[in-house]
Amino acid sequence: MQFDVFNGDADGICALHQLRLAEPGDSELVTGPKRDISLLKRVKAQAGDRVTVLDIALSKNRDALDRLLEVGAHVRYFDHHQPGDIPAHPNFEPHIDTDANVCTSLLVNRYLQSRHLAWAVTAAFGDNLADAARQAAVPLNLSADQLAQLQSLGECLNYNGYGETLDDLFFDPADLYRQLRPFADPFAFIAESPAYQTLKAGYQEDMARAVAVSATETRASGRIFMLPAEKWARRISGVFGNQLAVESPAQAHAVLTAKPGGGYVVSVRAPLIAKSGADELCCQFETGGGRKGAAGINHLPESELGRFIATFFAVFTRS
């Protein structure tokens, strides 16, 4: 039995797509909205089964990983988030790199020796690593227009991953991956896939609403934006944060999206010129985590809002 466990954003989907283009095979897909990262606990593997994990933090899945290794499953793990202690086990194959300019798809690309490089470039754009994407793309000799197409595709795939539940998304990430699967060439997917057109239209509509929202607090070191408890806001929160970071690379940004039952989902982007501090900030809150350049908090109670704002400016004024 083979299991593919992957984050539901552009990086997780493109990482899996590269691997399965190079190593075809049927598997049970385990994924969800981008923030649903405790995915390994859903894997019911047995001795001899093979589990490939892509773009979910080892630190958030350690107990489930230990259980899988104990029953005799083989686990291959690609990720760029802070892992905590990495287990040493004969059935465990880690490919983990927390460099701020690396995403999981670039790690898979390294593993595959650039066999499906264009998809890694797509994912890096989606993960807001535009400089790394352009650098990786050099061997492809793409035109500026072609790079822009891959950037749009990456951003749209990433946009689809954000939401409180699958009901907020245009496509279940597993279904979106299945729609990518026949396409070795991302430009063919762009030209032929109705899914891409759906995501592109949704992205543009939701972003138009987001950019009409003014910052609730602005200082030299950063800006904080608050979005309402609506589907469009939940979908756009992360990619809106990415756009803000690109527009003002010397500032940090936080996008707080109200939750229907109270509290907030938080997306944090460190200044692009530094790419550090986001994980330090978010890990100070109970449901927070992420990486140096981009991190989040799955549930920030309203009672913690003041502490979050104070900590945000303390972290990024210092950095």
Side-chain angles (χ1 to χ4, degrees), residues 245-279:
V246 171
E247 288 176 354
S248 186
Q251 289 183 300
H253 292 89
V255 178
L256 286 75
T257 307
K259 302 176 75 170
Y264 306 91
V265 174
V266 183
S267 291
V268 174
R269 299 295 180 266
L272 283 181
I273 61 172
K275 292 183 182 174
S276 66
D279 55 346

Side-chain angles (χ1 to χ4, degrees), residues 157-313:
L157 294 175
N158 210 51
Y159 157 75
N160 183 73
Y162 284 93
E164 190 75 9
T165 66
L166 290 175
D167 186 56
D168 288 337
L169 312 184
F170 281 96
F171 301 99
D172 183 318
D175 292 335
L176 186 56
Y177 162 71
R178 292 186 185 100
Q179 294 195 51
L180 254 68
R181 195 169 182 174
F183 294 91
D185 179 5
F187 295 106
F189 180 81
I190 290 169
E192 300 172 25
S193 170
Y196 172 65
Q197 299 304 324
T198 297
L199 292 176
K200 189 175 181 180
Y203 177 95
Q204 292 171 342
E205 182 177 337
D206 289 349
M207 186 62 78
R209 291 180 174 181
V211 298
V213 176
S214 299
T216 57
E217 188 153 0
T218 300
R219 301 183 193 177
S221 58
R223 294 185 290 175
I224 293 177
F225 291 78
M226 302 186 76
L227 301 182
E230 298 181 21
K231 279 188 175 184
W232 72 264
R234 294 192 290 274
R235 287 195 298 261
I236 205 66
S237 60
V239 290
F240 180 45
N242 289 345
Q243 178 163 311
L244 292 169
V246 171
E247 288 176 354
S248 186
Q251 289 183 300
H253 292 89
V255 178
L256 286 75
T257 307
K259 302 176 75 170
Y264 306 91
V265 174
V266 183
S267 291
V268 174
R269 299 295 180 266
L272 283 181
I273 61 172
K275 292 183 182 174
S276 66
D279 55 346
E280 176 191 346
L281 166 65
C282 292
C283 285
Q284 296 184 49
F285 297 85
E286 184 176 354
T287 60
R291 48 193 173 85
K292 297 173 184 177
I297 303 168
N298 286 343
H299 178 71
L300 180 74
E302 292 176 25
S303 61
E304 291 275 82
L305 177 59
R307 183 168 80 90
F308 172 80
I309 293 173
T311 307
F312 173 85
F313 285 112

Side-chain angles (χ1 to χ4, degrees), residues 37-55:
I37 58 172
S38 298
L39 296 173
L40 272 189
K41 64 185 179 184
R42 289 162 45 186
V43 175
K44 308 301 181 186
Q46 301 176 356
D49 289 346
R50 309 195 71 84
V51 182
T52 296
V53 187
L54 301 148
D55 200 40

Side-chain angles (χ1 to χ4, degrees), residues 10-223:
D11 197 18
I13 291 173
C14 291
L16 176 59
H17 189 40
Q18 290 176 82
L19 272 177
R20 290 293 158 241
L21 285 172
E23 305 170 358
D26 292 328
S27 65
E28 181 174 320
L29 302 179
V30 180
T31 189
K34 179 179 173 66
R35 290 182 181 274
D36 185 0
I37 58 172
S38 298
L39 296 173
L40 272 189
K41 64 185 179 184
R42 289 162 45 186
V43 175
K44 308 301 181 186
Q46 301 176 356
D49 289 346
R50 309 195 71 84
V51 182
T52 296
V53 187
L54 301 148
D55 200 40
I56 60 171
L58 192 157
S59 60
K60 303 292 185 182
N61 290 272
R62 181 58 191 268
D63 290 346
L65 173 61
D66 288 342
R67 174 182 56 79
L68 291 173
L69 294 173
E70 285 172 8
V71 301
H74 297 260
V75 181
R76 181 173 55 168
Y77 214 112
F78 294 86
D79 191 48
H80 64 135
H81 301 92
Q82 292 296 336
D85 292 331
I86 299 175
H89 192 284
N91 286 352
F92 184 60
E93 180 187 330
H95 300 270
I96 296 174
D97 186 344
T98 61
D99 186 285
N101 294 305
V102 167
C103 63
T104 300
S105 284
L106 289 174
L107 294 179
V108 171
N109 178 67
R110 185 188 303 171
Y111 176 79
L112 296 175
Q113 299 180 317
S114 297
R115 287 172 64 182
H116 300 286
L117 174 57
W119 284 107
V121 171
T122 300
F125 275 126
D127 231 20
N128 209 33
L129 299 175
D131 289 344
R134 293 188 184 98
Q135 184 176 350
V138 168
L140 297 173
N141 295 313
L142 299 176
S143 67
D145 178 67
Q146 287 174 312
L147 282 172
Q149 289 183 57
L150 294 185
Q151 181 166 3
S152 175
L153 175 58
E155 289 170 349
C156 287
L157 294 175
N158 210 51
Y159 157 75
N160 183 73
Y162 284 93
E164 190 75 9
T165 66
L166 290 175
D167 186 56
D168 288 337
L169 312 184
F170 281 96
F171 301 99
D172 183 318
D175 292 335
L176 186 56
Y177 162 71
R178 292 186 185 100
Q179 294 195 51
L180 254 68
R181 195 169 182 174
F183 294 91
D185 179 5
F187 295 106
F189 180 81
I190 290 169
E192 300 172 25
S193 170
Y196 172 65
Q197 299 304 324
T198 297
L199 292 176
K200 189 175 181 180
Y203 177 95
Q204 292 171 342
E205 182 177 337
D206 289 349
M207 186 62 78
R209 291 180 174 181
V211 298
V213 176
S214 299
T216 57
E217 188 153 0
T218 300
R219 301 183 193 177
S221 58
R223 294 185 290 175

